[in-house]
Amino acid sequence: MNDADIARLFAARVAQPLLMTKEDQTSENIINSTRLQHYRKAGLFASHLLDKEIADQIAAYAVPGLSGWLGKLRQMLVDANPTLSNASRQAPIIIVESYDRYTSVKKFTTDEAYIFVDNGLILFLWQMNKAYLSIEPSGVHSTHALATATLAHHAVQLKPPAWAEARRNTQRLFPPPPYRPPQNRDSFDLLLGLTIHHELFVMAHEIAHIELGHLDPNWKPSAKIELPLTASTFLENGLDLNAIKEFEADELALDLVVKFLGQGLDYNIEATIVYLFQFSRYLLYLEMVLRECNDIGGSFVWAARHFYLRDRMSKYDKNIGSAIVNHSEFLEEKLEPAMYEATELYCDILNKDP
């Protein structure tokens, strides 16, 4: 069974409780409806990005916004992890409309927790997955071109040049790459499967902060985190409390997602972990572009988190480690050249006055 087969089965399984309105509704109809939801909520509903036929289909199947979709994914996570608290089950999900890639969970004047998700993060993941799945060997729709432009585009939005700071979030300072829907059915299915995996981890990470008591101002870590050498070398002064919270939340989030997606079939755990490793690597690539061009020194927490998460992934099964190594080498061949080119492009944008 290949990746596309896995994604198709997964997409049908996840979408079924969300979209079934008739007992005889087919998996293909479920997948198609979910696909349209993703185009709508990921910010791709625009006439200059989609042809009219697809745009009309999206308009016809328009659904509630991203917070509703993430709420459904959160419900799946809590259903698969019944020990989760009511605070995690009921926290309102607030979508932040900006180009940032961060998520957070906060408490204000009440005891209720609020989960904040930046739509820029979801769009970045969706676009990177589209780049990764491109089957064109060259040109503006190749993996290399799309990944280069995606990384540079989001770097500019996150840390624009000084002359454009006043216009941040008011206009697109650097054009996004020319995305178009995958023309191949298997690629469509894998795009859907990959993105849902990544969105689930985003939600699980914020749930983990609630479950681990990280919102308590008097919180202290219950046990010392043992970092692998590959992670600890990125931390100049060891772990501070905020970094410890992120490591703990990543580890629990991984467990929450694996408990949900790893059920039932033998391939589920390995496929889930490989896809989540890819999510972590995307963020590492973007952070490397930002650090290189902005001359950021000191601890590299994002890199430490990536390698800590990779170490925890290897604990699930004796074959997981080799699967991650194989996939890492594949990503290094397919995406890392784009990271280096995006770094050159972003640095050039920062250093060039209009």
Side-chain angles (χ1 to χ4, degrees):
M1 182 172 292
N2 60 32
D3 277 353
D5 294 328
I6 294 171
R8 185 180 297 111
L9 289 173
F10 168 76
R13 184 171 121 236
V14 169
Q16 189 167 359
L18 303 184
L19 302 172
M20 286 291 281
T21 56
K22 299 178 181 179
E23 290 184 0
D24 60 350
Q25 189 172 11
T26 66
S27 295
E28 182 172 351
N29 287 338
I30 295 169
I31 292 172
N32 286 338
S33 297
T34 309
R35 195 179 292 157
L36 292 168
Q37 290 184 33
H38 269 70
Y39 273 117
R40 179 71 178 183
K41 63 91 183 169
L44 297 179
F45 182 52
S47 59
H48 67 284
L49 296 174
L50 301 174
D51 63 38
K52 187 175 187 303
E53 179 181 355
I54 295 175
D56 289 343
Q57 287 179 328
I58 293 172
Y61 285 92
V63 297
L66 180 56
S67 61
W69 170 252
L70 295 180
K72 292 174 182 178
L73 295 184
R74 190 254 306 270
Q75 187 61 48
M76 295 178 190
L77 285 169
V78 300
D79 287 347
N81 295 275
T83 61
L84 291 176
S85 67
N86 285 334
S88 294
R89 296 168 180 269
Q90 299 171 5
I93 300 171
I94 311 298
I95 303 304
V96 181
E97 297 288 336
S98 80
Y99 289 101
D100 212 332
R101 69 196 182 288
Y102 294 108
T103 60
S104 63
V105 57
K106 298 181 183 298
K107 283 185 178 180
F108 298 101
T109 56
T110 69
D111 289 334
E112 186 176 41
Y114 290 80
I115 295 174
F116 293 85
V117 178
D118 198 293
N119 71 327
L121 171 64
I122 303 300
L123 183 58
F124 171 70
L125 296 170
W126 179 254
Q127 291 173 339
M128 285 298 290
N129 284 333
K130 291 184 77 173
Y132 167 75
L133 293 170
S134 174
I135 60 174
E136 295 190 21
S138 60
V140 295
H141 293 108
S142 68
T143 290
H144 179 84
L146 289 174
T148 297
T150 298
L151 290 164
H153 171 73
H154 285 271
V156 170
Q157 301 300 337
L158 287 164
K159 291 186 179 295
W163 55 265
E165 182 63 37
R167 286 179 280 169
R168 186 176 185 226
N169 293 340
T170 63
Q171 66 181 47
R172 290 182 172 179
L173 305 175
F174 175 71
Y179 294 103
R180 68 183 184 191
Q183 305 299 303
N184 178 281
R185 166 64 186 272
D186 286 348
S187 294
F188 242 139
D189 294 337
L190 187 51
L191 173 62
L192 178 64
L194 273 171
T195 305
I196 294 176
H197 275 77
H198 299 167
E199 291 168 334
L200 281 166
F201 189 82
V202 169
M203 292 306 303
H205 179 88
E206 299 312 321
I207 288 171
H209 279 305
I210 298 173
E211 293 299 308
L212 293 167
H214 291 168
L215 301 185
D216 183 346
N218 299 314
W219 171 86
K220 293 182 179 179
S222 58
K224 183 179 180 181
I225 289 182
E226 297 292 338
L227 294 180
L229 183 61
T230 49
S232 60
T233 53
F234 292 100
L235 302 172
E236 285 190 345
N237 302 310
L239 281 168
D240 61 24
L241 286 183
N242 286 332
I244 291 174
K245 289 179 180 180
E246 296 307 318
F247 281 93
E248 286 189 350
D250 283 343
E251 184 170 358
L252 179 55
L254 178 63
D255 196 49
L256 294 175
V257 176
V258 168
K259 282 182 179 176
F260 169 44
L261 297 179
Q263 301 177 79
L265 299 173
D266 291 341
Y267 61 74
N268 278 2
I269 290 180
E270 183 173 319
T272 294
I273 287 178
V274 166
Y275 292 164
L276 295 183
F277 173 81
Q278 188 162 330
F279 160 86
S280 180
R281 185 57 68 92
Y282 287 166
L283 293 176
L284 178 61
Y285 287 155
L286 181 57
E287 187 68 18
M288 290 176 72
V289 172
L290 289 166
R291 286 176 67 89
E292 181 68 23
C293 296
N294 290 282
D295 195 24
I296 300 173
S299 293
F300 194 175
V301 176
W302 278 96
R305 285 175 61 183
H306 172 75
F307 287 104
Y308 179 74
L309 191 61
R310 175 173 177 168
D311 179 73
R312 304 316 298 169
M313 289 173 172
S314 300
K315 309 292 185 183
Y316 282 90
D317 183 89
K318 63 181 181 180
N319 297 318
I320 294 294
S322 59
I324 291 175
V325 168
N326 290 338
H327 196 59
S328 176
E329 291 176 350
F330 179 68
L331 292 177
E332 288 168 4
E333 177 183 346
K334 192 167 186 178
L335 291 178
E336 281 200 15
M339 179 194 71
Y340 293 119
E341 189 168 328
T343 300
E344 293 182 9
L345 177 58
Y346 175 50
C347 288
D348 185 56
I349 292 170
L350 288 184
N351 295 324
K352 182 180 294 184
D353 290 332

